[in-house]
Amino acid sequence: MPAGYSEDPSKDEDGPDKTFCNYRQPYTAKIEVSAAYQKGGGLKTEIASIALRQYANADQAKASFAKMAETLETCKQDTSEGQKLTYALMNLPKTGDDSLGVRIETQGATVLQGFAVVGPTLISTGAGGLMSADADVVADLLDKQVDRYSAAAAR
């Protein structure tokens, strides 16, 4: 993690498995792990997250990524827990087998998420806050997670 972030112990491990515009995932991940971090406090609080979803094989991961990408091409608004969400595809450097970014706006807060598919795994990173959301943090985290996952998978 970049300097200043600490693990967020309040992260809800059993939160809702919300998808963009409630699209149906073609496959369910066999293994899911995630971690959340925060920096600062008050209105200047920034959050960052990392998640890995490993599917039964690379074809399932690619199909799941493709369905998400297809949904984000047309899905521009949604609601979650009573809050309106607005989505826009975002430019990120290519990493992994394929990747994409999405900007999520909700009631004054911005969250940026990056997704990359690598073999049987969908990797995501996110960052955001009320006063700051940095795409460079998301892109850097995604690239590092892809590199770390690829190195571990090669062993």
Side-chain angles (χ1 to χ4, degrees):
M1 292 303 300
Y5 282 90
S6 60
E7 193 163 357
D8 182 0
S10 66
K11 181 181 175 289
D12 181 6
E13 295 293 334
D14 298 320
D17 192 19
K18 171 83 172 96
T19 59
F20 299 106
C21 293
N22 299 313
Y23 76 91
R24 251 186 104 123
Q25 297 180 61
Y27 300 98
T28 302
K30 300 290 182 188
I31 299 170
E32 292 186 49
V33 295
S34 63
Y37 303 87
Q38 81 176 46
K39 176 181 178 180
L43 291 176
K44 289 191 159 224
T45 299
E46 296 175 38
I47 57 153
S49 65
I50 300 167
L52 284 83
R53 293 181 176 182
Q54 188 165 6
Y55 295 86
N57 56 52
D59 289 338
Q60 286 187 5
K62 286 178 187 173
S64 296
F65 178 88
K67 181 65 177 178
M68 177 182 61
E70 175 187 318
T71 298
L72 285 167
E73 288 290 331
T74 57
C75 170
K76 303 301 178 202
Q77 287 188 6
D78 194 6
T79 45
S80 177
E81 299 178 6
Q83 292 194 26
K84 179 182 170 185
L85 305 173
T86 304
Y87 304 126
L89 287 174
M90 177 180 75
N91 231 5
L92 280 183
K94 179 155 173 32
T95 189
D97 301 331
D98 205 355
S99 58
L100 67 82
V102 64
R103 178 185 186 94
I104 306 163
E105 298 281 344
T106 181
Q107 296 188 337
T110 301
V111 175
L112 308 175
Q113 279 194 287
F115 297 89
V117 64
V118 181
T121 302
L122 182 61
I123 299 170
S124 69
T125 60
L130 291 174
M131 300 190 60
S132 176
D134 190 343
D136 291 334
V137 169
V138 174
D140 186 52
L141 282 174
L142 188 60
D143 193 47
K144 286 179 180 176
Q145 289 304 306
V146 166
D147 288 348
R148 287 178 180 168
Y149 173 80
S150 298
R155 288 186 217 162

